[in-house]
Structure formats: C-alpha cells, structure tokens
Amino acid sequence: MTPDSAVRPADQTETDEWGRLNPRLFLVNLSVVATPLATFAATTVLTGGEINLQVLITCASFLITCLVIAGISVMRLITTRYRITDDRVELHKGRFFRSERSIPVDRIRSVDLTANPLHRVFGLTSLKIATGDQATSGGGLSLDGLSVHDAEELRRRLSELRHARQGLATADPDDDATLARLDWAWLRYAPLTLWGVGGVFIAVGSVYRTLHEMKVDPLELGVVKDLEERFGSLPLWYGILLTLAVIVVIGVAGSTATFIEGWGGYHLDRPETGLLRVRRGLLITRSVSIEEQRLRGAEVAEPLLLRWAGGARLKAVASGLGDEDENSSRSRLTPPVPRALAQSIAADVLGERVSPTTEAQLAPHPRAALRRRLNRALIWSVLIAAPLVGLGLWLTPVLVHTGWITAVVLFCAGAAFAFDAYRSLGHAVHGPYLVTRSGTFTRRTAALQRDGIIGWTITRSAFQRRAGLLTLGAATAAGSGVYKVRDVAVSDGLALAEDAVPGLLAPFVERAPARH
C-alpha cells in the first residue's frame, strides 16, 4: 500500500462497485503478435524469398518476445480492478506480484486520455490520473484499456468530486470555453522544421541496422541494385543534389504527415473552472489537462524557419507535468501557428489583457555578448577549415585555397547567426513576470511568474569572467526547471535577481567594502 493510502472513513460503505478493464483489450493484446509476422513478411519480400538462418532466428526471437508481452498484458487484464469512492481512487492489480494503490481525490491534478490506433479500432482508451509528482513512478494511476464511454464517465465523476471537495465552481455549459481550435491553414507551417529531414536519416539508419543484424546486406537488395543501374552513370555532383532533393521532399512530406497526425482535431479549451484541456491527434488521440493553479507562465518558441515565416509555438510553464519527456509533450498548448495568435493565446491562458511575452520592454545585453558569439563563429570556422589547409600543405595547393574559402564562407554565415543571436537576447521584469529571451536556431521567449521562482543559479565561464558577464538562471518547480538570462552584465544580472525576487539572492552576495 502506498504512503498516501489512509484508513477508510467509518461511514464509507463496502458496497462500492469495483470496475474492470474492458474485455476487448484481449483482442488488442493478441494483435501484438502481428508485428513479428509482418516483419518476417517484409523481409521475405525485400530479399526476394531468400531467407537465411539468421533471419529465422531473429524473427522467431521477436515472435517469442511479443508472445510473452501479450501474455503479461492478458494477465493484467484479468487481475486489474479499480473503484472510485467519495474521497479516493483505488487500484488493485497483479496475481503473483500484487499491487494495491490508493490516491486521495484531493491530490488529483489532472485526468488525461490517450488512445492509439489499435485502441481506437476496438473503441478503447487509456486513462491516466496524475497527482503532480515529477517522478514517473508513484506519480498517479493508469488504466490502460477502458471503453471510451467508461473513461469519459470516470473523468466526469472525478471532476465532480474534486469540485465538491475543493469548493470550485463548475463551468457554465452555455459559455464558450474554447480558446483555440484547429485551422488547416496552419498546415503551411508544418514543413518549416528540421525534424522531418532528420527523421529520414533516422528511418534509413534503423532499417539498415535491422537488416544488418539479420545478416542481410542492404546494398545487395534488388531495389538498391535497380537504383544503382538507373543512376550509377550520373555525375557525382548531380547525384548528390538529387539525393539531397529526395531527402528534403521526403522530410517535408514526413513533417506534414506528423503535423496532421499529431494535431488533427486540435482543441484548446477550459472545460471547467481552473482547468486547461488540450485535445489533439488523428491516429493517436490525446486529451491533456493542466491545472491553472499550477501554471507558472508561458513560453513562445520560434524555430528559425518558422520564425522567418511569422510562426511560433506556445508551451505552458507548469508544475506537475511529469519528468522531462512527459513535460515536453504535455506542456504543448498549440501547434505551429501565426506568431500573433500564439501571443494572443498566451494572454488568454495567463489571464492577461496582453501577453507579457509581447508587452514587456526587454533590456538589451552588453556588446561583449556579441563579441562572444562572433569569436565562437570564428573559432568553429577555423577548426572546420584547418584539416583542408593541413592536407593542402601536404598534398596540393588547391586544398589550401579551398580551406580558406571554406573558412571565409563559414565565418560569414556564423557572423550572421551571431548577430541574430545577440539581437534575440533580452530580459525584463514586467509586473508579476520575469521575461527572458534568447536563442537563434530556436528563439524562446519565456514569461515566468516571479512568485514561482524558488532560487537562482549563477554560472560564469572563464571567457564570461574576462568579458564581465554571467548567466543568471531562475530556478522553478515548473517547466524545464531553470530559465536562463544569458550573457548579462554582472551588475545588471544581480540587480535583475534582486528586482525580480527581493531578498532571495542577498544572503549569497558579498558586498565590496565601502571606500573612505
């Protein structure tokens, strides 16, 4: 029994009905076996029907593993039972290793629903009750395999219990609580990300490694041989350009497909007082709830290509969203949208007339911060071009000239990014918020509530000390944990910390003795 379990009140009856997972989950568990069978069929097609012993062993091992996983899932279906009483949620599961957990209703922070394609085929979903603990284990309860109707009913009942016990007002069903909904015009922002192109390399690498483990040489496959015969006689430069074009096209298509799948049916609303809910997903549906009393701010992220197109993404800075990976996924409030809309939604979420990420007048940073970025661009340009120059001194002067040209081109590009990164730097104390901005490949503007700051971190590298700069980090229990004001002057950084949270940094600052 978990520590948060308590003795049941005497007036609570023992007739509370125990619920079980939906029997259709059995079909979902059996469908896991289809994966190794499909892998074997695909391998047979790729190899033209030539199956060696290594392929058989690999596929058989995969099949046995999936059968074991399916067996464990079936056992969970048989042994799991749950119930909701007036003051807590209880979950019992396991036969040989029995687990009994109980969570008071007062500790529940959100109830999320997620359904993958297999669950949706059989009309099922997964319900997760989160308590706000940052740890992945012991931070809530999960019921994987409820019917959609039962899951919605459980969420509604838990919501009513929380409102009754905390004295919260219920939302008026006649009020329009919608903050944003999907506009397919946003699809134009989908290709403006490098993740699609990176996904192509990841997918190719994964396929190559899998075939290599099966003792199958991908370069000897019939498809690869056909491509080699068709394009093998082309000039090298033309082949490189053609390959890059294919990668970009596939990457754009992948990014667009990812946007459609991840944000289809997007809806941001307030289903009840004090609660934000994000619903999204075409194949895998997700419904994430964020308690507004745990909201500590908002962050507007602008990846480089998206920023050039006038787009941005909005994330919530909130506590209780799980570990780093869970927080990254559950804190997303919008897909890539027009920047003005992201700022408008940020204002609505924070309950402000205008978002502090827009209204705050950010103070510029010292020119020493620009010199640091220019020096960094110069160093990287020299390091990359140095091998070419070195080989040129040993082999041919052509490489020497190529190295110098490469260094100049790289430095010019690096200098452009350095100026952009410097212009992105800024900080301000705006009303109840600390606002900080930095980044060039992804420019992030975060508005953090000052009463949510629980500490400061100050870092100074050797180069920063020479330039009279420091990086000030505002530590908080929400979001990424630390929001940094990068490369600010020492006096300005200390003054900013004192202005944002008076007295928090004072015990750790040594004041210089007064001069007479």
Side-chain angles (χ1 to χ4, degrees):
M1 193 74 69
T2 56
D4 51 2
S5 302
V7 178
R8 193 176 289 107
D11 59 350
Q12 181 176 306
T13 67
E14 293 295 335
T15 59
D16 294 313
E17 184 177 354
W18 287 89
R20 292 187 177 275
L21 302 181
N22 194 283
R24 292 195 296 270
L25 184 62
F26 178 75
L27 300 176
V28 176
N29 296 332
L30 288 184
S31 63
V32 174
V33 182
T35 303
L37 298 179
T39 303
F40 179 77
T43 304
T44 303
V45 172
L46 289 174
T47 58
E50 298 179 3
I51 302 298
N52 56 36
L53 181 60
Q54 185 66 33
V55 172
L56 290 175
I57 294 175
T58 302
C59 290
S61 302
F62 192 16
L63 176 61
I64 293 173
T65 302
C66 289
L67 286 173
V68 172
I69 293 174
I72 295 174
S73 299
V74 170
M75 182 61 67
R76 186 177 70 243
L77 166 64
I78 296 173
T79 61
T80 299
R81 58 197 183 108
Y82 64 90
R83 70 175 175 180
I84 300 176
T85 67
D86 291 338
D87 65 340
R88 63 186 55 247
V89 181
E90 298 178 358
L91 174 65
H92 295 181
K93 61 181 179 179
R95 181 72 67 187
F96 302 106
F97 301 95
R98 192 161 185 80
S99 172
E100 299 182 0
R101 301 205 57 234
S102 175
I103 292 181
V105 171
D106 293 338
R107 288 194 56 199
I108 295 175
R109 296 294 176 261
S110 64
V111 182
D112 300 341
L113 302 181
T114 304
N116 60 38
L118 272 177
H119 280 79
R120 297 184 66 187
V121 168
F122 295 102
L124 303 178
T125 188
S126 297
L127 180 143
K128 182 175 181 180
I129 300 172
T131 61
D133 294 341
Q134 294 295 110
T136 55
S137 61
L141 299 179
S142 181
L143 296 171
D144 183 12
L146 297 173
S147 68
V148 175
H149 176 269
D150 290 344
E152 291 288 356
E153 182 64 22
L154 283 176
R155 179 157 67 173
R156 183 193 62 78
R157 185 178 175 190
L158 288 171
S159 175
E160 291 178 351
L161 289 174
R162 290 177 60 248
H163 279 83
R165 296 183 66 85
Q166 299 177 13
L168 299 175
T170 57
D172 187 345
D174 296 330
D175 291 341
D176 185 7
T178 300
L179 300 181
R181 65 173 69 247
L182 179 66
D183 183 348
W184 285 110
W186 302 342
L187 193 62
R188 67 184 185 272
Y189 296 119
L192 303 179
T193 173
L194 298 178
W195 291 112
V197 177
V200 175
F201 291 103
I202 294 174
V204 171
S206 300
V207 172
Y208 181 89
R209 182 175 180 180
T210 301
L211 293 176
H212 183 72
E213 291 293 332
M214 295 181 177
K215 304 300 181 183
V216 176
D217 187 0
L219 299 179
E220 297 298 327
L221 296 176
V223 177
V224 178
K225 288 293 186 182
D226 290 341
L227 292 175
E228 186 178 354
E229 290 178 2
R230 288 175 179 269
F231 302 104
S233 59
L234 295 176
L236 179 60
W237 65 270
Y238 186 81
I240 294 175
L241 290 179
L242 181 62
T243 301
L244 291 176
V246 170
I247 291 174
V248 170
V249 170
I250 296 176
V252 168
S255 299
T256 303
T258 300
F259 181 97
I260 295 173
E261 193 287 319
W263 293 99
Y266 163 73
H267 196 133
L268 172 64
D269 62 355
R270 281 191 178 92
E272 59 187 71
T273 303
L275 195 69
L276 294 171
R277 182 175 63 186
V278 181
R279 289 175 290 173
R280 62 187 181 94
L282 191 64
L283 297 178
I284 301 177
T285 59
R286 310 164 184 85
S287 177
V288 178
S289 301
I290 301 175
E291 202 172 32
E292 288 190 276
Q293 69 178 14
R294 303 179 75 85
L295 193 66
R296 293 293 177 266
E299 179 184 86
V300 177
E302 303 170 81
L304 185 62
L305 297 180
L306 187 60
R307 172 156 49 104
W308 289 348
R313 295 181 299 211
L314 180 65
K315 297 181 65 175
V317 179
S319 59
L321 296 183
D323 61 5
E324 183 177 356
D325 292 335
E326 285 185 325
N327 181 82
S328 176
S329 175
R330 297 179 65 200
S331 63
R332 300 173 187 173
L333 295 180
T334 70
V337 297
R339 185 185 299 112
L341 179 60
Q343 302 285 11
S344 175
I345 295 174
D348 289 339
V349 167
L350 296 175
E352 304 289 344
R353 183 181 58 84
V354 180
S355 172
T357 56
T358 302
E359 194 175 30
Q361 298 296 321
L362 302 183
H365 286 211
R367 299 289 291 183
L370 173 61
R371 290 196 295 271
R372 288 197 70 218
R373 284 151 179 76
L374 289 174
N375 290 338
R376 198 176 300 155
L378 177 61
I379 291 172
W380 278 109
S381 302
V382 172
L383 289 177
I384 294 174
L388 290 175
V389 176
L391 289 175
L393 295 176
W394 181 33
L395 299 175
T396 172
V398 175
L399 289 178
V400 176
H401 298 309
T402 302
W404 285 115
I405 294 174
T406 301
V408 172
V409 171
L410 289 177
F411 177 72
C412 291
F417 284 120
F419 276 98
D420 182 75
Y422 173 71
R423 286 193 297 268
S424 295
L425 292 175
H427 64 273
V429 172
H430 180 76
Y433 298 95
L434 169 66
V435 182
T436 175
R437 187 180 68 190
S438 64
T440 182
F441 293 106
T442 299
R443 186 170 71 184
R444 302 181 185 276
T445 307
L448 180 64
Q449 291 178 357
R450 291 157 57 190
D451 58 8
I453 299 175
I454 58 178
W456 296 103
T457 63
I458 297 177
T459 57
R460 301 186 71 194
S461 67
F463 298 104
Q464 283 180 310
R465 288 196 294 271
R466 290 186 59 186
L469 303 174
L470 59 80
T471 294
L472 180 70
T476 177
S480 61
V482 178
Y483 290 85
K484 296 181 177 180
V485 182
R486 300 181 182 276
D487 288 337
V488 64
V490 174
S491 58
D492 293 341
L494 297 179
L496 175 66
E498 180 63 21
D499 190 17
V501 187
L504 183 60
L505 190 63
F508 306 97
V509 176
E510 293 185 5
R511 299 185 180 276
R515 296 182 179 179
H516 298 285

Short mmCIF file of all heavy atoms in Angstrom, two decimals, residues 294-338:
data_model
loop_
_atom_site.label_atom_id
_atom_site.label_comp_id
_atom_site.label_asym_id
_atom_site.label_seq_id
_atom_site.Cartn_x
_atom_site.Cartn_y
_atom_site.Cartn_z
N ARG A 294 -1.45 25.50 -11.04
CA ARG A 294 -0.07 25.04 -11.14
C ARG A 294 0.65 25.67 -12.33
O ARG A 294 1.78 25.32 -12.62
CB ARG A 294 -0.04 23.51 -11.26
CG ARG A 294 -0.74 22.81 -10.10
CD ARG A 294 -0.71 21.32 -10.24
NE ARG A 294 0.59 20.77 -9.93
CZ ARG A 294 1.01 20.46 -8.70
NH1 ARG A 294 0.21 20.69 -7.67
NH2 ARG A 294 2.20 19.96 -8.49
N LEU A 295 -0.03 26.60 -13.02
CA LEU A 295 0.56 27.30 -14.15
C LEU A 295 1.47 28.41 -13.63
O LEU A 295 1.05 29.22 -12.80
CB LEU A 295 -0.55 27.87 -15.03
CG LEU A 295 -0.16 28.38 -16.41
CD1 LEU A 295 0.30 27.22 -17.30
CD2 LEU A 295 -1.34 29.09 -17.06
N ARG A 296 2.70 28.45 -14.12
CA ARG A 296 3.67 29.44 -13.66
C ARG A 296 4.13 30.38 -14.77
O ARG A 296 5.02 31.19 -14.57
CB ARG A 296 4.90 28.74 -13.07
CG ARG A 296 4.61 27.98 -11.78
CD ARG A 296 4.24 28.94 -10.66
NE ARG A 296 3.89 28.24 -9.43
CZ ARG A 296 2.66 27.91 -9.07
NH1 ARG A 296 1.64 28.24 -9.86
NH2 ARG A 296 2.41 27.27 -7.96
N GLY A 297 3.54 30.25 -15.96
CA GLY A 297 3.93 31.13 -17.05
C GLY A 297 3.71 30.47 -18.39
O GLY A 297 3.01 29.45 -18.51
N ALA A 298 4.30 31.05 -19.42
CA ALA A 298 4.16 30.54 -20.79
C ALA A 298 5.46 30.80 -21.54
O ALA A 298 6.21 31.73 -21.22
CB ALA A 298 2.98 31.20 -21.49
N GLU A 299 5.70 29.96 -22.54
CA GLU A 299 6.91 30.09 -23.36
C GLU A 299 6.54 30.07 -24.83
O GLU A 299 5.85 29.15 -25.29
CB GLU A 299 7.89 28.96 -23.05
CG GLU A 299 9.16 29.02 -23.88
CD GLU A 299 10.08 27.83 -23.63
OE1 GLU A 299 9.89 26.79 -24.29
OE2 GLU A 299 10.96 27.94 -22.78
N VAL A 300 6.98 31.07 -25.58
CA VAL A 300 6.76 31.14 -27.01
C VAL A 300 8.06 30.74 -27.70
O VAL A 300 9.09 31.39 -27.52
CB VAL A 300 6.35 32.57 -27.45
CG1 VAL A 300 6.19 32.63 -28.97
CG2 VAL A 300 5.05 32.97 -26.76
N ALA A 301 8.01 29.64 -28.47
CA ALA A 301 9.19 29.12 -29.16
C ALA A 301 9.06 29.39 -30.65
O ALA A 301 8.01 29.14 -31.25
CB ALA A 301 9.34 27.62 -28.91
N GLU A 302 10.17 29.88 -31.24
CA GLU A 302 10.18 30.24 -32.66
C GLU A 302 11.40 29.61 -33.33
O GLU A 302 12.46 30.23 -33.39
CB GLU A 302 10.21 31.75 -32.84
CG GLU A 302 9.06 32.50 -32.18
CD GLU A 302 9.29 33.99 -32.18
OE1 GLU A 302 9.02 34.63 -33.21
OE2 GLU A 302 9.75 34.52 -31.14
N PRO A 303 11.30 28.36 -33.82
CA PRO A 303 12.40 27.80 -34.62
C PRO A 303 12.71 28.69 -35.81
O PRO A 303 11.83 29.41 -36.31
CB PRO A 303 11.84 26.43 -35.05
CG PRO A 303 10.81 26.10 -34.02
CD PRO A 303 10.21 27.41 -33.62
N LEU A 304 13.94 28.64 -36.28
CA LEU A 304 14.44 29.62 -37.24
C LEU A 304 13.55 29.75 -38.47
O LEU A 304 13.09 30.85 -38.80
CB LEU A 304 15.87 29.23 -37.66
CG LEU A 304 16.59 30.23 -38.57
CD1 LEU A 304 16.76 31.56 -37.85
CD2 LEU A 304 17.94 29.69 -38.99
N LEU A 305 13.29 28.63 -39.18
CA LEU A 305 12.48 28.71 -40.39
C LEU A 305 11.06 29.14 -40.08
O LEU A 305 10.45 29.92 -40.83
CB LEU A 305 12.48 27.35 -41.11
CG LEU A 305 13.83 26.85 -41.62
CD1 LEU A 305 13.66 25.49 -42.31
CD2 LEU A 305 14.45 27.85 -42.59
N LEU A 306 10.53 28.67 -38.97
CA LEU A 306 9.18 29.06 -38.57
C LEU A 306 9.13 30.54 -38.24
O LEU A 306 8.15 31.23 -38.55
CB LEU A 306 8.74 28.22 -37.38
CG LEU A 306 7.30 28.36 -36.91
CD1 LEU A 306 6.34 27.99 -38.02
CD2 LEU A 306 7.04 27.51 -35.68
N ARG A 307 10.19 31.05 -37.62
CA ARG A 307 10.23 32.49 -37.28
C ARG A 307 10.27 33.34 -38.54
O ARG A 307 9.62 34.39 -38.61
CB ARG A 307 11.47 32.75 -36.41
CG ARG A 307 11.74 34.22 -36.13
CD ARG A 307 12.55 34.40 -34.85
NE ARG A 307 13.69 33.55 -34.80
CZ ARG A 307 14.96 33.94 -35.00
NH1 ARG A 307 15.21 35.20 -35.30
NH2 ARG A 307 15.96 33.10 -34.89
N TRP A 308 11.04 32.91 -39.55
CA TRP A 308 11.09 33.65 -40.80
C TRP A 308 9.72 33.71 -41.48
O TRP A 308 9.41 34.66 -42.20
CB TRP A 308 12.10 33.02 -41.75
CG TRP A 308 13.53 33.22 -41.31
CD1 TRP A 308 13.98 34.06 -40.34
CD2 TRP A 308 14.68 32.57 -41.84
NE1 TRP A 308 15.35 33.97 -40.21
CE2 TRP A 308 15.81 33.06 -41.13
CE3 TRP A 308 14.90 31.60 -42.82
CZ2 TRP A 308 17.11 32.63 -41.38
CZ3 TRP A 308 16.19 31.17 -43.08
CH2 TRP A 308 17.30 31.69 -42.36
N ALA A 309 8.90 32.69 -41.25
CA ALA A 309 7.56 32.65 -41.84
C ALA A 309 6.51 33.30 -40.95
O ALA A 309 5.32 33.28 -41.29
CB ALA A 309 7.16 31.20 -42.13
N GLY A 310 6.94 33.87 -39.80
CA GLY A 310 6.00 34.54 -38.91
C GLY A 310 5.20 33.61 -38.04
O GLY A 310 4.11 33.96 -37.59
N GLY A 311 5.73 32.42 -37.77
CA GLY A 311 5.02 31.44 -36.94
C GLY A 311 5.70 31.24 -35.59
O GLY A 311 6.82 31.69 -35.36
N ALA A 312 5.02 30.54 -34.70
CA ALA A 312 5.55 30.26 -33.36
C ALA A 312 4.74 29.12 -32.76
O ALA A 312 3.67 28.74 -33.26
CB ALA A 312 5.48 31.50 -32.48
N ARG A 313 5.25 28.55 -31.66
CA ARG A 313 4.55 27.53 -30.88
C ARG A 313 4.47 28.01 -29.44
O ARG A 313 5.36 28.71 -28.95
CB ARG A 313 5.28 26.19 -30.94
CG ARG A 313 5.33 25.58 -32.32
CD ARG A 313 6.04 24.25 -32.33
NE ARG A 313 7.42 24.36 -31.88
CZ ARG A 313 8.40 23.57 -32.30
NH1 ARG A 313 8.15 22.62 -33.18
NH2 ARG A 313 9.62 23.71 -31.85
N LEU A 314 3.43 27.60 -28.74
CA LEU A 314 3.22 28.02 -27.36
C LEU A 314 3.26 26.81 -26.44
O LEU A 314 2.64 25.78 -26.72
CB LEU A 314 1.87 28.74 -27.21
CG LEU A 314 1.51 29.23 -25.81
CD1 LEU A 314 2.49 30.32 -25.37
CD2 LEU A 314 0.08 29.74 -25.77
N LYS A 315 4.00 26.94 -25.33
CA LYS A 315 4.07 25.89 -24.31
C LYS A 315 3.70 26.49 -22.96
O LYS A 315 3.96 27.67 -22.69
CB LYS A 315 5.48 25.30 -24.25
CG LYS A 315 5.92 24.60 -25.51
CD LYS A 315 7.32 24.03 -25.36
CE LYS A 315 7.39 22.94 -24.33
NZ LYS A 315 8.71 22.30 -24.27
N ALA A 316 3.11 25.67 -22.12
CA ALA A 316 2.78 26.09 -20.76
C ALA A 316 3.98 25.84 -19.86
O ALA A 316 4.67 24.82 -19.99
CB ALA A 316 1.58 25.32 -20.25
N VAL A 317 4.25 26.76 -18.97
CA VAL A 317 5.24 26.56 -17.92
C VAL A 317 4.45 26.20 -16.67
O VAL A 317 3.89 27.06 -15.99
CB VAL A 317 6.08 27.83 -17.69
CG1 VAL A 317 7.09 27.60 -16.57
CG2 VAL A 317 6.81 28.23 -18.97
N ALA A 318 4.36 24.90 -16.40
CA ALA A 318 3.52 24.42 -15.31
C ALA A 318 4.21 23.30 -14.57
O ALA A 318 5.03 22.57 -15.13
CB ALA A 318 2.17 23.94 -15.85
N SER A 319 3.90 23.16 -13.31
CA SER A 319 4.44 22.07 -12.50
C SER A 319 3.49 20.88 -12.57
O SER A 319 2.33 21.00 -12.95
CB SER A 319 4.63 22.52 -11.05
OG SER A 319 3.38 22.94 -10.49
N GLY A 320 4.03 19.72 -12.18
CA GLY A 320 3.19 18.54 -12.11
C GLY A 320 2.89 17.88 -13.44
O GLY A 320 1.92 17.14 -13.55
N LEU A 321 3.73 18.12 -14.47
CA LEU A 321 3.50 17.50 -15.77
C LEU A 321 4.41 16.31 -16.01
O LEU A 321 4.55 15.85 -17.13
CB LEU A 321 3.70 18.54 -16.89
CG LEU A 321 2.71 19.70 -16.89
CD1 LEU A 321 2.97 20.61 -18.08
CD2 LEU A 321 1.27 19.21 -16.90
N GLY A 322 5.04 15.79 -14.95
CA GLY A 322 5.87 14.60 -15.10
C GLY A 322 7.33 14.93 -15.30
O GLY A 322 7.80 16.05 -15.05
N ASP A 323 8.08 13.92 -15.78
CA ASP A 323 9.51 14.09 -15.99
C ASP A 323 9.76 14.94 -17.23
O ASP A 323 8.84 15.50 -17.83
CB ASP A 323 10.21 12.73 -16.08
CG ASP A 323 9.70 11.91 -17.25
OD1 ASP A 323 8.88 12.42 -18.05
OD2 ASP A 323 10.12 10.74 -17.38
N GLU A 324 11.03 15.02 -17.64
CA GLU A 324 11.40 15.91 -18.75
C GLU A 324 10.67 15.57 -20.04
O GLU A 324 10.16 16.45 -20.74
CB GLU A 324 12.92 15.86 -18.95
CG GLU A 324 13.42 16.80 -20.03
CD GLU A 324 14.93 16.78 -20.17
OE1 GLU A 324 15.59 16.08 -19.37
OE2 GLU A 324 15.44 17.45 -21.08
N ASP A 325 10.61 14.27 -20.38
CA ASP A 325 9.96 13.87 -21.62
C ASP A 325 8.45 14.12 -21.56
O ASP A 325 7.86 14.62 -22.52
CB ASP A 325 10.23 12.39 -21.90
CG ASP A 325 11.69 12.12 -22.23
OD1 ASP A 325 12.36 13.06 -22.70
OD2 ASP A 325 12.16 10.99 -22.01
N GLU A 326 7.82 13.75 -20.45
CA GLU A 326 6.39 13.97 -20.31
C GLU A 326 6.06 15.46 -20.33
O GLU A 326 5.08 15.89 -20.94
CB GLU A 326 5.89 13.35 -19.01
CG GLU A 326 5.77 11.84 -19.05
CD GLU A 326 5.14 11.30 -17.77
OE1 GLU A 326 5.40 11.88 -16.70
OE2 GLU A 326 4.42 10.30 -17.84
N ASN A 327 6.88 16.25 -19.66
CA ASN A 327 6.65 17.69 -19.62
C ASN A 327 6.75 18.29 -21.02
O ASN A 327 5.95 19.16 -21.40
CB ASN A 327 7.66 18.35 -18.69
CG ASN A 327 7.45 19.85 -18.59
OD1 ASN A 327 6.62 20.33 -17.85
ND2 ASN A 327 8.22 20.61 -19.37
N SER A 328 7.73 17.82 -21.80
CA SER A 328 7.90 18.34 -23.16
C SER A 328 6.67 18.07 -24.01
O SER A 328 6.28 18.91 -24.83
CB SER A 328 9.14 17.72 -23.80
OG SER A 328 9.29 18.14 -25.14
N SER A 329 6.06 16.91 -23.83
CA SER A 329 4.89 16.55 -24.63
C SER A 329 3.61 17.19 -24.10
O SER A 329 2.80 17.73 -24.86
CB SER A 329 4.74 15.03 -24.67
OG SER A 329 3.56 14.65 -25.32
N ARG A 330 3.40 17.13 -22.77
CA ARG A 330 2.14 17.56 -22.19
C ARG A 330 2.01 19.07 -22.06
O ARG A 330 0.91 19.60 -21.87
CB ARG A 330 1.95 16.91 -20.82
CG ARG A 330 1.87 15.39 -20.84
CD ARG A 330 1.71 14.83 -19.46
NE ARG A 330 0.45 15.24 -18.87
CZ ARG A 330 0.20 15.22 -17.56
NH1 ARG A 330 1.16 14.86 -16.71
NH2 ARG A 330 -0.96 15.59 -17.10
N SER A 331 3.13 19.79 -22.15
CA SER A 331 3.07 21.25 -21.99
C SER A 331 2.73 21.98 -23.28
O SER A 331 2.54 23.19 -23.27
CB SER A 331 4.42 21.77 -21.46
OG SER A 331 5.46 21.52 -22.40
N ARG A 332 2.63 21.27 -24.40
CA ARG A 332 2.34 21.92 -25.68
C ARG A 332 0.89 22.40 -25.72
O ARG A 332 -0.04 21.61 -25.60
CB ARG A 332 2.59 20.97 -26.83
CG ARG A 332 4.03 20.47 -26.92
CD ARG A 332 4.15 19.39 -27.99
NE ARG A 332 5.47 18.78 -27.97
CZ ARG A 332 5.80 17.73 -28.72
NH1 ARG A 332 4.91 17.20 -29.55
NH2 ARG A 332 7.01 17.20 -28.65
N LEU A 333 0.73 23.69 -25.92
CA LEU A 333 -0.62 24.27 -25.97
C LEU A 333 -1.09 24.51 -27.39
O LEU A 333 -2.30 24.55 -27.63
CB LEU A 333 -0.66 25.59 -25.19
CG LEU A 333 -0.42 25.50 -23.68
CD1 LEU A 333 -0.49 26.88 -23.05
CD2 LEU A 333 -1.43 24.57 -23.02
N THR A 334 -0.17 24.69 -28.33
CA THR A 334 -0.56 24.92 -29.72
C THR A 334 0.40 24.21 -30.66
O THR A 334 1.56 23.96 -30.30
CB THR A 334 -0.55 26.42 -30.07
OG1 THR A 334 0.82 26.89 -30.12
CG2 THR A 334 -1.34 27.25 -29.09
N PRO A 335 -0.04 23.92 -31.87
CA PRO A 335 0.89 23.53 -32.93
C PRO A 335 1.57 24.78 -33.46
O PRO A 335 1.35 25.88 -32.92
CB PRO A 335 -0.06 22.91 -33.98
CG PRO A 335 -1.34 23.66 -33.80
CD PRO A 335 -1.44 23.94 -32.32
N PRO A 336 2.40 24.69 -34.48
CA PRO A 336 2.92 25.91 -35.12
C PRO A 336 1.76 26.75 -35.66
O PRO A 336 0.95 26.28 -36.46
CB PRO A 336 3.80 25.37 -36.26
CG PRO A 336 4.22 24.01 -35.80
CD PRO A 336 3.04 23.47 -35.05
N VAL A 337 1.67 27.98 -35.18
CA VAL A 337 0.57 28.88 -35.54
C VAL A 337 1.17 30.26 -35.84
O VAL A 337 2.34 30.51 -35.55
CB VAL A 337 -0.47 28.99 -34.39
CG1 VAL A 337 -1.11 27.65 -34.10
CG2 VAL A 337 0.18 29.56 -33.12
N PRO A 338 0.39 31.18 -36.41
CA PRO A 338 0.89 32.56 -36.58
C PRO A 338 1.34 33.13 -35.23
O PRO A 338 0.71 32.89 -34.20
CB PRO A 338 -0.32 33.30 -37.15
CG PRO A 338 -1.10 32.25 -37.86
CD PRO A 338 -0.93 31.01 -37.04
#
